[in-house]
Amino acid sequence: MSDDEPNPQEVEEEEEEEEEEGEEVTDLSNSDVCTKYQEAAKIVNLALTGLVGQIKAGAKVLDLCEFGHTVIHNAAQKLFTKKVNGQAIERGVAFPVCVSVNDVVCNYSPLSSEERDPLKAGDVVKIDLGCHIDGYISVAAHTVVVPDEDGSVKVEPEMGNVAVCAYNAMLIAAKAIAAGAKNNDVTLAVERVANAYDVKPITSARMHQMKRYVLDGIKEIALKAPTTEEIERGEQLAECEFEQNEVYAVDVAMSTGDGNARPQDLRITVFKRNVETQYLLKMKAARSLLGEVDKKFPTLPFSLRHLEDVRQARLGLNECIQHGLLQPYPCLHDHSGLVAHFKCTVLLLPSGTAKITGLDLPSYFTTDKTPDEETANVLKQLDEEAAKKAARKAAKKNKKKKKNKALEPTQEKNDALKLEETREREKVGHVMTSRKRERWEMERYKISTGIRRLRSILSQNRIERWSGGIGTNKEKYHT
């Protein structure tokens, strides 16, 4: 091989470098990705706050679900409207709005033909939803109690206890999910909180890693350590370690009963396309359903309510489920006790773990029980961090307010400026009037002068004609 010919190995290395340079970075090391997660989180919190305000006696679950869906969709469509490489950025609902009441733990998003009784005062309502910007997902869940007509809320002591436990367990888990920690450490922390408040975690609820267009990632966190029987059946989760720039959904549900939530009579309406499975369907209705799902909801969960023809979709649903093309999200029930459900999204940033979704615990949830010492210390640390953050935010807001106030003139300055402006206008108006008068007089003078000149010229012409006429007559007379 001559010196001028390129080395094949060098060519391959250059091609690999070009591919690496052109590959899109989809984790939190990319600031744009971080921004999209945070913008999606703002929409989630907005929708959650709006739904909490809509929950009252007489409200219908279907109306609440549609309200939340509309808020998320409309808010997401206002962001990132600029096209990238000629294509619009996908954004909208990442998980259908679910409103689960009393014994229903999660995943209830009814069809219009299967609406249950309206909410009544004292009902325990669990809200679950998600939003994505360009496939980057933020999720949240919240638990509230339907107030009376006068706005007061009556909460049973057991309900207050389980709600406080679930919320604190979510905070503890979010704090424990940090780069270098392991999923088993988080499980032990959640169990410690549950034992302190004497409640049981919902065993079927799990926390998941989230990636672009992936709601349930490979890395999972259980709320409860597996029993010996579960280990023998191979149901134990694989141990994993958290890494920087990852994103997790911290999902916690607690029960005053046994914690074994199971599917029951409510129809499953939430599904997700299993992109790894392919099958040649036989029924026309099933093929039509799968085609619509691949077009509208290719990766993220959806509700049957948002399909064009729900009746036809239900005809082809069973075949799609049987062959693993669609993954169902069943409505879980727990009749053994009262249930509380909270969820938030955390980002594992270089500066630490950041919780970006979720609302504060309602003040009417209280308990007489106290957490263990380790949990109490962590909660105290979180409160101090939240107080410092609020103080910095307030200081920044006050600084901005003072700056704007300094830039804005006072009332006296405003009055002086208005008076000066009025005088200037009057002065300008007077000057303009004087100038107009001068111009008018000048025009009048020109016109009168012109008239006089014209009269002088005309009279002179008459005299000349008259004089000329007389001279002619004289000559004629003498002749």
Side-chain angles (χ1 to χ4, degrees):
M1 182 176 63
S2 64
D3 295 338
D4 296 336
E5 294 180 5
N7 189 346
Q9 185 176 358
E10 293 179 355
V11 173
E12 290 179 2
E13 289 177 356
E14 290 177 359
E15 290 178 353
E16 289 177 0
E17 289 178 358
E18 290 178 359
E19 290 178 0
E20 290 177 358
E21 290 177 358
E23 187 177 355
E24 184 178 3
V25 179
T26 58
D27 62 15
L28 296 177
S29 61
N30 186 344
S31 60
D32 292 338
V33 171
C34 188
T35 300
K36 290 174 182 177
Y37 274 116
Q38 292 173 340
E39 291 299 327
K42 291 178 183 178
I43 296 174
V44 165
N45 292 335
L46 174 67
L48 208 54
T49 303
L51 280 167
V52 171
Q54 294 291 321
I55 290 178
K56 58 187 71 175
K60 294 183 178 180
V61 173
L62 177 62
D63 294 339
L64 293 172
C65 292
E66 285 300 317
F67 171 81
H69 179 89
T70 303
V71 170
I72 294 174
H73 177 76
N74 292 345
Q77 293 305 310
K78 294 178 181 179
L79 302 177
F80 295 93
T81 56
K82 187 177 180 180
K83 293 184 178 181
V84 178
N85 296 328
Q87 295 183 351
I89 293 177
E90 295 183 7
R91 57 213 185 275
V93 177
F95 189 83
V97 179
C98 297
V99 180
S100 308
V101 184
N102 295 332
D103 60 283
V104 185
V105 181
C106 57
N107 299 336
Y108 183 61
S109 185
L111 302 177
S112 57
S113 59
E114 298 177 351
E115 176 65 89
R116 302 179 78 185
D117 295 334
L119 299 178
K120 58 183 183 296
D123 283 344
V124 180
V125 181
K126 282 81 66 180
I127 308 169
D128 194 359
L129 50 85
C131 173
H132 80 96
I133 302 292
D134 198 18
Y136 300 104
I137 307 165
S138 291
V139 294
H142 197 65
T143 300
V144 296
V145 176
V146 180
D148 295 328
E149 292 182 358
D150 59 357
S152 61
V153 180
K154 298 177 181 178
V155 180
E156 298 178 15
E158 288 186 349
M159 185 64 225
N161 181 63
V162 71
V164 171
C165 176
Y167 188 81
N168 287 343
M170 179 193 70
L171 296 179
I172 295 295
K175 182 68 174 178
I177 298 176
K182 295 183 179 180
N183 57 347
N184 293 336
D185 300 334
V186 181
T187 301
L188 293 175
V190 172
E191 278 195 298
R192 187 177 65 247
V193 177
N195 293 333
Y197 289 94
D198 194 21
V199 298
K200 301 291 183 183
I202 300 293
T203 55
S204 55
R206 291 180 178 178
M207 309 180 201
H208 294 269
Q209 180 189 8
M210 294 190 297
K211 294 184 178 181
R212 190 181 188 188
Y213 290 110
V214 178
L215 187 65
D216 305 327
I218 298 175
K219 295 183 180 181
E220 294 181 300
I221 308 165
L223 300 186
K224 184 179 179 181
T227 61
T228 305
E229 296 177 355
E230 291 174 343
I231 294 175
E232 291 176 354
R233 293 196 300 265
E235 297 179 359
Q236 182 180 11
L237 293 179
E239 187 179 44
C240 62
E241 183 176 334
F242 309 125
E243 300 177 8
Q244 188 175 298
N245 297 325
E246 290 181 339
V247 181
Y248 285 88
V250 183
D251 194 353
V252 177
M254 296 285 182
S255 171
T256 58
D258 57 15
N260 294 322
R262 303 174 182 86
Q264 286 190 358
D265 56 340
L266 289 179
R267 182 187 297 276
I268 302 173
T269 60
V270 179
F271 297 88
K272 185 183 72 171
R273 174 72 166 96
N274 189 354
V275 295
E276 297 178 355
T277 304
Q278 300 294 331
Y279 181 80
L280 186 60
L281 296 168
K282 297 179 181 179
M283 292 182 60
K284 182 179 179 181
R287 293 196 300 271
S288 176
L289 169 61
L290 189 64
E292 185 177 358
V293 170
D294 287 338
K295 182 179 179 181
K296 293 183 177 180
F297 315 102
T299 54
L300 296 174
F302 64 94
S303 172
L304 292 179
R305 190 174 61 253
H306 297 126
L307 297 176
E308 292 182 1
D309 191 340
V310 178
R311 185 177 180 182
Q312 184 181 6
R314 288 167 60 179
L315 293 175
L317 196 59
N318 288 334
E319 186 179 3
C320 292
I321 296 173
Q322 288 174 1
H323 296 287
L325 298 173
L326 294 179
Q327 175 188 339
Y329 285 77
C331 300
L332 301 179
H333 297 252
D334 187 355
H335 294 284
S336 63
L338 301 172
V339 178
H341 182 205
F342 292 95
K343 185 193 298 184
C344 69
T345 303
V346 295
L347 309 179
L348 273 60
L349 300 171
S351 58
T353 302
K355 173 178 168 289
I356 60 173
T357 63
L359 305 181
D360 294 334
L361 180 70
S363 58
Y364 48 75
F365 287 135
T366 59
T367 181
D368 296 332
K369 297 183 179 181
T370 56
D372 60 280
E373 184 178 356
E374 186 176 353
T375 301
N377 291 334
V378 176
L379 292 175
K380 183 180 179 180
Q381 181 182 354
L382 291 173
D383 290 339
E384 291 175 354
E385 291 176 358
K388 289 180 181 178
K389 184 178 180 180
R392 288 195 300 268
K393 188 175 181 180
K396 186 177 180 180
K397 186 176 181 180
N398 291 334
K399 185 178 179 181
K400 186 177 181 180
K401 189 176 181 181
K402 289 180 180 178
K403 184 178 179 181
N404 293 336
K405 189 175 182 181
L407 293 175
E408 292 178 358
T410 60
Q411 186 65 32
E412 294 179 357
K413 289 182 179 179
N414 281 334
D415 296 340
L417 287 172
K418 288 181 180 179
L419 181 60
E420 187 176 353
E421 289 176 0
T422 303
R423 289 176 177 174
E424 287 292 333
R425 284 196 298 268
E426 291 177 355
K427 184 178 180 182
V428 171
H430 177 71
V431 172
M432 291 298 293
T433 304
S434 301
R435 289 178 180 175
K436 286 182 180 179
R437 188 180 296 109
E438 289 177 0
R439 285 198 297 269
W440 182 75
E441 290 178 354
M442 181 64 68
E443 294 294 332
R444 183 181 177 187
Y445 173 75
K446 289 180 179 179
I447 293 172
S448 60
T449 303
I451 292 173
R452 286 197 299 271
R453 287 180 179 177
L454 182 60
R455 286 177 179 174
S456 174
I457 293 170
L458 292 176
S459 60
Q460 187 176 358
N461 289 339
R462 273 197 229 101
I463 292 171
E464 289 179 354
R465 284 198 301 271
W466 181 75
S467 300
I470 291 175
T472 305
N473 292 333
K474 282 181 180 182
E475 291 176 358
K476 288 180 180 179
Y477 181 75
H478 287 294
T479 302

